[in-house]
């Protein structure tokens, strides 16, 4: 487990709550650095002077079931202010001599809490009233108050809804202040970090940019770095950050798989090579990819072929640059959070996602992952600070296997050509109608069926184009975007009238789950 030791921080100990990342978001929104670490990984030696406050998250566990080795009790004896949330509140109470048991009534959803006593934690939280609405989600509760604690607020079912030990600066809340449903929840977190932990603001995109540039220089020194540039947001930001930090010691490799969107390769070369003056090695591997994919229709086989070939080509070109010591990657914080297995992401088991991440193991390069402490929207802000265009920064995600997984069945030159055009018209229209930024991801796909149509007086027999546009928080779940009929009508006409090979357009109205975002 590695924490960023240079910055003062609030440390969130995660017990597997679905809201842990939200706690981190709230704190960073206040301009304060924080990190998340799993309760299984945290060690007493990790608790150093940079940690100004601890937050114990909620979680699906029961305090009375928790394995005593999975959380080192000495952590709470370090004289650092602590805020326990839900399960965190229960474990904090237990460790201080309180008792926890199953509640008679479970509390899920909104509940009223009633103020019993003043506390610095609840300054402006109750808005001059005695009652506030909070979001509860628990089946257990603290049944005996730990010694030296006071009750600050109670709900009908939780007598100890907010408790404090003022001298130790220990606070426990049975509800979730990090979710928006809790009225003034942010205020409570604000009070904890600024009034109780007394941490100073240390996290803005500008400071972040300068600090990251400094760190990259210190890590890389005089060595060369390679980076796989895809043109997506994360790899673009990494490339530009390294460009600012080490200039010509950075070598970006951009592989044109032939499965990119229309004009993508031209745009990447124009932006990164010509405008930003990055050492860019452009590899045109279109023919190699299409040859390897010939007659392959199985989605998993396609993904494997593309992933492996990508690595092979990347290695081939990387080896030509002599003396490379580092590989830069656009790994983000959510990819790293150690508690992921606790919260459980299933996506990678459903599809073997291909990312440039992890490349290339055989070359034994050291990794530079400057975005590893950032969330996606922080990466976007950083990109703007680095003078990347809004167009690059607000791009929709694009999968590593590219258009191959948007052409179910066998892939041919003809199909790719048709699909590139359809996708181009769709995305262009979304931008023209100011819809692009309201949508998390949109694309066109070409289905492997031909249907009959009529154009003029002639019969046509052409492919079916599927349009998909979704809204989402993080790609884990998604809903289809609710277009107006006029837009759907316009884009359908445009595609069918402009592209030979498509005579019918359908719009995908499934959510994820049960569907996935991509077709394969
Ligand atoms: P699914 O289809 O699994 O997609 O619902 C979720 C998100 O992941 C993207 N995606 C990929 N991204 N390599 C990537 O880098 C991949 O192999 C891959 N497959 C899917 C997809 O576009 C969506 O944003």
């Amino acid at each position: 487990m590695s924490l960023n030791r240079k910055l003062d921080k609030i440390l969130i100990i995660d017990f597997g709550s679905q809201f842990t990342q939200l706690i981190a978001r709230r704190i960073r929104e206040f301009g304060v650095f924080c990190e998340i670490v799993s309760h299984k990984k945290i060690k007493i030696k990790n608790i150093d002077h940079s940690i100004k406050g601890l937050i114990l998250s909620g979680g699906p566990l029961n305090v009375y079931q928790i394995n005593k080795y999975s959380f080192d009790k000495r952590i709470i004896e370090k004289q650092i202010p602590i805020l326990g949330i839900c399960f965190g509140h229960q474990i904090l109470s237990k460790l201080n001599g309180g008792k926890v048991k199953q509640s008679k009534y479970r509390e899920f959803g909104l509940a009223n809490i009633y103020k019993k006593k003043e506390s610095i934690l609840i300054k402006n939280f109750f808005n001059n009233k005695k009652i506030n609405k909070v979001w509860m989600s628990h089946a257990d509760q603290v049944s005996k108050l730990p010694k030296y604690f006071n009750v600050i607020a109670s709900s009908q079912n939780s007598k100890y809804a907010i408790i404090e030990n003022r001298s130790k600066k220990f606070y426990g809340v049975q509800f979730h202040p990090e979710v928006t449903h809790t009225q003034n929840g942010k205020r409570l977190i604000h009070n904890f970090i600024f009034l109780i932990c007394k941490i100073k603001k240390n996290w803005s995109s500008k400071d972040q940019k300068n600090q990251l540039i400094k760190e990259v220089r210190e890590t890389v020194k005089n060595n060369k770095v390679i980076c796989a540039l895809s043109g997506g947001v994360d790899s673009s930001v990494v490339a530009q950050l390294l460009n600012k930090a080490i200039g010509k010691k950075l070598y970006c490799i951009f592989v044109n798989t032939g499965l990119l969107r229309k004009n993508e390769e031209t745009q990447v070369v124009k932006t990164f090579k010509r405008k930003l003056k990055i050492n860019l090695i452009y590899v045109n591997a279109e023919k190699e990819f299409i040859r390897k994919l010939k007659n392959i229709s199985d989605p998993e086989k396609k993904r494997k072929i593309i992933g492996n070939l990508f690595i092979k080509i990347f290695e081939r070109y990387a080896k030509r640059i002599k003396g490379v010591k580092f590989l830069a990657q656009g790994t983000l914080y959510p990819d790293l959070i150690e508690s992921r297995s606790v919260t459980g992401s299933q996506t990678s088991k459903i599809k073997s996602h291909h990312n440039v991440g992890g490349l290339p193991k055989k070359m034994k390069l050291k990794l530079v992952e400057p975005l590893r402490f950032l969330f996606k929207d922080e990466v976007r802000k950083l990109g703007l600070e680095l003078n990347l265009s809004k167009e690059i920064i607000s791009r929709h995600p694009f999968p590593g296997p590219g258009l191959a997984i948007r052409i179910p069945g066998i892939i041919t030159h003809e199909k790719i050509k048709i699909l590139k055009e359809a996708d181009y018209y769709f995305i262009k229209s979304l931008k023209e109608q100011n819809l692009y930024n309201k949508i998390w991801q949109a694309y066109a796909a070409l289905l492997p069926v031909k249907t009959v149509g009529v154009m003029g007086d002639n019969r046509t027999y052409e492919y079916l184009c599927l349009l998909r546009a979704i809204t989402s928080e993080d790609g884990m779940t998604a809903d289809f975007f609710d277009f107006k009929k006029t837009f759907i009508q316009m884009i359908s006409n445009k595609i069918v009238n402009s592209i030979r090979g498509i005579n019918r357009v359908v719009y995908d109205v499934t959510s994820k789950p049960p569907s996935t975002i991509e077709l394969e």
Side-chain angles (χ1 to χ4, degrees):
M1 198 208 67
S2 75
L3 293 176
N4 186 331
R5 295 189 172 271
K6 293 187 185 125
L7 280 177
D8 281 355
K9 64 177 79 65
I10 301 291
L11 186 67
I12 303 166
I13 302 185
D14 180 39
F15 289 93
S17 164
Q18 53 179 323
F19 302 131
T20 302
Q21 287 205 35
L22 258 187
I23 308 173
R25 296 307 323 277
R26 297 281 171 265
I27 295 173
R28 293 210 186 168
E29 276 160 19
F30 286 127
V32 166
F33 184 66
C34 70
E35 288 193 57
I36 302 175
V37 58
S38 162
H39 70 104
K40 293 183 189 157
K41 301 266 175 76
I42 184 79
K43 300 256 164 34
I44 190 78
K45 65 172 197 261
N46 299 128
I47 309 293
D48 63 15
H49 290 301
S50 68
I51 297 168
K52 302 296 173 205
L54 283 170
I55 295 187
L56 312 180
S57 86
L61 310 160
N62 302 108
V63 163
Y64 34 87
Q65 279 174 354
I66 190 165
N67 175 339
K68 64 179 171 178
Y69 299 109
S70 61
F71 183 68
D72 190 336
K73 186 173 181 266
R74 289 173 300 167
I75 290 171
I76 71 158
E77 288 156 9
K78 282 279 193 172
Q79 295 189 340
I80 297 174
I82 300 180
L83 173 66
I85 296 177
C86 195
F87 174 83
H89 159 66
Q90 296 164 8
I91 193 166
L92 183 67
S93 301
K94 174 93 190 303
L95 293 174
N96 281 284
K99 283 203 174 123
V100 177
K101 65 170 194 195
Q102 209 172 40
S103 326
K104 201 162 171 195
Y105 304 100
R106 292 185 302 177
E107 268 184 312
F108 287 95
L110 278 179
N112 287 326
I113 57 166
Y114 302 89
K115 184 157 88 174
K116 301 284 175 200
K117 209 171 183 291
E118 286 301 340
S119 159
I120 192 165
L121 184 73
I122 57 164
K123 191 173 173 199
N124 297 329
F125 176 64
F126 279 87
N127 270 347
N128 296 328
K129 293 189 210 124
K130 286 236 169 268
I131 178 170
N132 197 13
K133 285 207 176 320
V134 299
W135 184 258
M136 294 276 192
S137 177
H138 68 112
D140 292 343
Q141 62 175 208
V142 176
S143 54
K144 183 183 157 227
L145 192 66
K147 223 173 162 186
Y148 310 119
F149 274 72
N150 288 315
V151 184
I152 305 300
S154 305
S155 75
Q156 212 176 358
N157 288 320
S158 302
K159 190 169 167 197
Y160 308 121
I162 305 182
I163 60 172
E164 76 167 3
N165 177 329
R166 200 186 302 177
S167 62
K168 282 194 166 170
K169 299 188 179 169
F170 286 174
Y171 296 82
V173 294
Q174 181 54 73
F175 54 92
H176 288 271
E178 69 276 25
V179 305
T180 46
H181 309 63
T182 293
Q183 203 166 280
N184 299 329
K186 282 188 190 179
R187 172 52 65 174
L188 198 140
I189 294 173
H190 174 279
N191 293 344
F192 177 69
I193 62 174
F194 291 119
L195 306 183
I196 296 164
C197 303
K198 299 200 162 59
I199 194 165
K200 299 256 171 2
K201 288 190 181 192
N202 60 356
W203 196 247
S204 74
S205 4
K206 201 174 187 151
D207 299 338
Q208 214 180 81
K209 180 188 87 175
N210 294 332
Q211 203 216 335
L212 290 175
I213 289 178
K214 196 166 148 250
E215 276 178 23
V216 168
R217 285 185 185 145
E218 283 169 8
T219 314
V220 167
K221 303 212 171 72
N222 253 329
N223 294 297
K224 288 181 187 165
V225 182
I226 47 167
C227 171
L229 181 69
S230 71
V233 181
D234 306 341
S235 72
S236 299
V237 173
V238 169
Q240 175 63 347
L241 182 76
L242 268 91
N243 184 31
K244 295 258 179 198
I246 57 166
K248 294 293 174 202
K249 279 178 280 176
L250 169 72
Y251 294 80
C252 288
I253 301 178
F254 172 70
V255 181
N256 177 4
T257 58
L259 301 161
L260 305 171
R261 288 161 289 193
K262 186 177 169 179
N263 297 335
E264 197 154 10
E265 59 282 6
T266 325
Q267 277 165 9
V268 169
V269 173
K270 199 167 131 199
T271 309
F272 291 92
K273 194 167 182 139
R274 304 225 186 94
K275 206 168 139 225
L276 302 174
K277 310 274 182 238
I278 286 180
N279 272 332
L280 181 79
I281 300 164
Y282 170 72
V283 184
N284 188 350
E286 269 183 86
K287 286 193 182 135
E288 226 173 322
F289 275 90
I290 306 301
R291 204 181 327 117
K292 283 262 185 210
L293 287 167
K294 200 174 171 196
N295 293 329
I296 304 291
S297 58
D298 178 77
E300 280 301 291
K301 274 195 191 144
K302 278 185 190 173
R303 282 172 172 276
K304 293 257 153 62
I305 290 171
I306 295 167
N308 292 339
L309 187 56
F310 191 95
I311 295 174
K312 225 171 107 187
I313 293 174
F314 185 82
E315 276 183 344
R316 197 189 296 158
Y317 282 83
K319 274 184 193 151
R320 293 183 192 174
I321 311 161
K322 293 280 168 273
V324 177
K325 284 256 161 55
F326 291 91
L327 171 75
Q329 286 189 163
T331 317
L332 303 195
Y333 197 43
D335 307 328
L336 274 193
I337 295 175
E338 288 128 314
S339 64
R340 272 233 139 173
S341 52
V342 181
T343 35
S345 144
Q346 291 294 312
T347 348
S348 54
K349 286 180 192 151
I350 295 164
K351 298 175 186 183
S352 46
H353 278 204
H354 149 65
N355 280 317
V356 288
L359 271 178
K361 288 202 182 71
K362 273 193 275 171
M363 294 182 73
K364 298 209 175 84
L365 296 169
K366 286 190 197 152
L367 288 182
V368 195
E369 296 177 306
L371 311 183
R372 70 193 182 286
F373 291 115
L374 308 190
F375 288 101
K376 188 86 176 182
D377 62 323
E378 291 176 315
V379 172
R380 292 202 157 106
K381 279 191 203 145
L382 176 66
L384 290 177
E385 282 290 332
L386 287 162
N387 299 329
L388 285 176
S389 68
K390 278 216 173 87
E391 213 188 332
I392 294 182
I393 291 311
S394 54
R395 291 191 96 182
H396 289 174
F398 187 67
L403 300 183
I405 56 172
R406 295 177 178 174
I407 303 176
I410 286 164
I411 298 164
T412 62
H413 272 299
E414 185 212 10
K415 286 184 185 172
I416 295 177
K417 199 165 151 240
I418 294 173
L419 178 56
K420 278 190 178 184
E421 289 302 315
D423 189 74
Y424 171 75
Y425 280 120
F426 185 35
I427 300 298
K428 185 163 170 268
S429 303
L430 291 177
K431 287 184 177 164
E432 283 167 359
Q433 306 281 324
N434 287 327
L435 293 170
Y436 186 80
N437 290 329
K438 296 185 180 144
I439 291 168
W440 198 81
Q441 191 172 14
Y443 66 84
L446 197 72
L447 301 188
V449 264
K450 286 188 173 180
T451 67
V452 174
V454 53
M455 273 184 147
D457 289 329
N458 293 322
R459 176 187 191 269
T460 57
Y461 187 56
E462 294 176 342
Y463 287 114
L464 194 62
C465 170
L466 173 141
L467 301 181
R468 184 123 168 94
I470 53 111
T471 53
S472 177
E473 283 276 318
D474 50 12
M476 302 294 286
T477 59
D479 200 0
F480 72 90
F481 186 78
D482 200 4
F483 286 116
K484 288 208 172 104
K485 184 179 169 189
T486 45
F487 179 84
I488 288 281
Q489 227 162 16
M490 181 278 291
I491 189 64
S492 154
N493 281 340
K494 182 116 197 159
I495 289 175
V496 171
N497 289 336
S498 327
I499 305 169
R500 276 178 198 270
I502 295 175
N503 67 354
R504 196 178 293 267
V505 174
V506 293
Y507 183 51
D508 187 341
V509 294
T510 36
S511 55
K512 172 183 176 176
S515 264
T516 53
I517 296 173
E518 301 292 345
L519 297 189
E520 292 194 328

